[in-house]
Amino acid sequence: MAKKKVARIVVETLENFGVKRCYGVVGDTLNEVTDAMRYHSKIEWVHMRHEEAGGFAAGAEAFMTKNLTACAGSCGPGSLHFINGLFESHRNGSPVVLIASQLPTNVLGTNFPQEVDYTPIYKTCSVFCETVTNAQEAKRILMSACQAAITEKGVAVVILPSDISATEVEDAPVLQQYQPKNPVVRPQDDEIQAMAALLNADGKIGIYAGAGCEDARDEVLALCEKLNAPMAHTSRAKDFVEWDNPYNVGMTGMLGVKSGYEMLMHCDTLLILGADFAWSQFYPKHAKIIQVDIDPKKLGLRHAIELGVIGNVKDTINALLPYLHQRESTEFLHTYTEMHKKAMEKLNEKAIAHDHDLIHPQYLTELLSQYADEDALLTADTGSAMAWSLRHFHTNGKRRTLLSMKHGTMANAMSQAIGLQKAYPTRQVISLSGDGGFAMLMGDLLTLVQEKIPLKVVILNNSTLDFVELEMKAEGIVNSYTDLQNPDFAKVAESVGIKGFSAKDSHTLEETVKNFLAFDGPAVLDVYVNRLELIWPPHPEFSNFENMALYGTKAILGGEGHTFIDMLKDNFIKK
């Protein structure tokens, strides 16, 4: 039996599990691994400028392709930098393996320079985290890590000391490497019948669809048709159920619309399908709630339920449909689909070019949606970019969007878009970045140049941490420490070899967006958008107006009254 270095066994194991790319930054304790990757595998090394960006990129590729993806870093700070990017993958269920190289075993535990105990840190954001302490066990540990990442849908971390990676061992035969298909999971027959009894009873029925509906679009629509039920959805279900859906009434929550919110509040029975929306105040107080989820820990977690069942949405609906009566009344459905049409029209009131010197971010996002390819991929930073993409970037069954909805991190958009563009080199990928988030990991613009990635980066340049500023105003606080002194991002892009576009006039924005999207190669579009744009919740309460009035009073007394007056003009007078 031939001997191989552990590093080569590690790389070959990753390749056997389908890894196509590894994102990271090289370093001394990782040298054996990168050398093996170069000479003994077809895995592409993606040279990032910051490990956090590499974590985001690897996670994005894994999330969208459902394939195992890798990242790797050097000892100490190197592999530690991945933590935030991999927390995102841990929370959105992306199968990623991190090879965290470590100092040689003979110095561990001596407080050696760059020594970091990764285990307690990465156990908080992984489904698997083990150190290779015996070279003979390296292959088993790697295979266990890959299997865990794929089957448990999360991050697996393998800590690899540099002396072990350089050790030669006999390459054991490949252990059982079986990746089963997803099983059929549905409730027991008596639970299906109990669901049917609740849904066949008199009363207004609503459906709330979550990310668990990803492979069940046809079944969800068939269920809506059977029950003549309006369907609201979470932000993470947007790609799957929003488009071409006569039952759709939009999202609820702070980023939702009135129709989605009101429907949930006024139904008598609510069927929740694969949704884990965290904000309990947006669930109905008096409705009977039936919840379907593959994860039993989520049943009743956010709200009281009448009935909770374990199952895949697709399998559960297929089992349920034969037991349901055709519901004839369309009154409840019609009420909220009509309200949805009006709500969307109201959202689009600002999606126009009117004043030359005022660019509404809604208008920019509508233009991106209008001129982007029909199978474009969009990422958006957490904050206002996320809000505008959810409300104004339209899906069609071919497009996909990726936002940090569960981890809620800044600086995710461009880095995630790098991973998507690597995974889908022939598709158009757009990053809708906030100026604050973009600046955090701006160094990876250089990755676009070095790796020849034709990514399109749009920057909402309002010279502020906009969403934080809005949160302050909503609490009656005069914003502080939110100002950003930005450079000309288009010139920054040009200085590193990327085509830069700039937009300050709403009347020329459309042509600029068209030219930007059509450019052959990486490009940055720096758009000077309205700083004072408000994001209204679907159901404003008295406290919202009271706190905004309090903010206005404090602003006027503090000599910032002109900002409050400008905000009123930009949102209620100007178009």
Side-chain angles (χ1 to χ4, degrees), residues 430-446:
I430 304 167
S431 162
L432 185 60
S433 302
D435 47 3
F438 173 75
M440 283 183 172
L441 291 174
M442 186 167 60
D444 271 277
L445 272 179
L446 300 172

Side-chain angles (χ1 to χ4, degrees), residues 67-247:
N67 295 329
L68 186 67
T69 308
C71 48
S74 58
C75 66
S79 289
L80 196 61
H81 277 155
F82 283 104
I83 187 73
N84 190 48
L86 292 182
F87 242 109
E88 171 71 18
S89 297
H90 174 64
R91 302 196 73 174
N92 69 20
S94 302
V96 177
V97 172
L98 167 65
I99 306 301
S101 70
Q102 181 60 286
L103 293 167
T105 52
N106 67 308
V107 300
L108 293 178
T110 67
N111 198 27
F112 203 79
Q114 293 192 314
E115 183 177 358
V116 173
D117 184 0
Y118 295 128
T119 303
I121 299 168
Y122 274 108
K123 274 190 177 294
T124 63
C125 63
S126 65
V127 297
F128 182 98
C129 183
E130 296 293 340
T131 301
V132 181
T133 57
N134 181 343
Q136 302 289 342
E137 294 297 311
K139 190 166 194 173
R140 180 188 61 79
I141 290 174
L142 253 293
M143 294 194 72
S144 297
C146 294
Q147 202 76 283
I150 293 168
T151 57
E152 298 181 47
K153 297 181 175 63
V155 174
V157 179
V158 175
I159 302 164
L160 185 62
S162 60
D163 57 326
I164 289 182
S165 68
T167 301
E168 287 192 345
V169 296
E170 289 187 349
D171 186 11
V174 174
L175 304 175
Q176 181 66 27
Q177 182 179 316
Y178 182 65
Q179 298 173 29
K181 295 181 179 179
N182 290 329
V184 173
V185 182
R186 45 149 288 190
Q188 299 284 342
D189 288 346
D190 60 334
E191 293 176 308
I192 291 289
Q193 292 168 12
M195 292 175 67
L198 288 168
L199 294 170
N200 285 330
D202 291 337
K204 297 168 289 189
I205 295 175
I207 292 174
Y208 191 35
C213 297
E214 178 173 357
D215 298 319
R217 173 185 164 80
D218 291 344
E219 289 76 13
V220 171
L221 266 62
L223 181 63
C224 291
E225 181 180 14
K226 190 85 170 181
L227 298 173
N228 270 319
M231 182 217 71
H233 64 86
T234 66
S235 55
R236 297 177 69 228
K238 171 185 172 72
D239 291 2
F240 316 125
V241 298
E242 177 188 65
W243 50 277
D244 194 22
N245 182 348
Y247 307 97

Side-chain angles (χ1 to χ4, degrees), residues 22 34 37 47 133 164 243 276 347 353 358 398 425 437 458:
C22 182
T34 51
M37 198 169 292
H47 185 175
T133 57
I164 289 182
W243 50 277
D276 185 34
L347 283 182
L358 184 66
K398 297 179 181 179
V458 184

Side-chain angles (χ1 to χ4, degrees), residues 399-441:
R399 289 178 173 178
R400 289 297 307 273
T401 59
L402 178 56
L403 316 174
S404 180
M405 297 307 305
K406 299 194 75 174
H407 190 42
T409 180
M410 292 178 67
N412 59 293
M414 184 177 73
S415 302
Q416 288 179 323
I418 289 172
L420 295 184
Q421 190 72 84
K422 276 291 186 180
Y424 300 98
T426 62
R427 290 175 68 173
Q428 185 180 66
V429 181
I430 304 167
S431 162
L432 185 60
S433 302
D435 47 3
F438 173 75
M440 283 183 172
L441 291 174

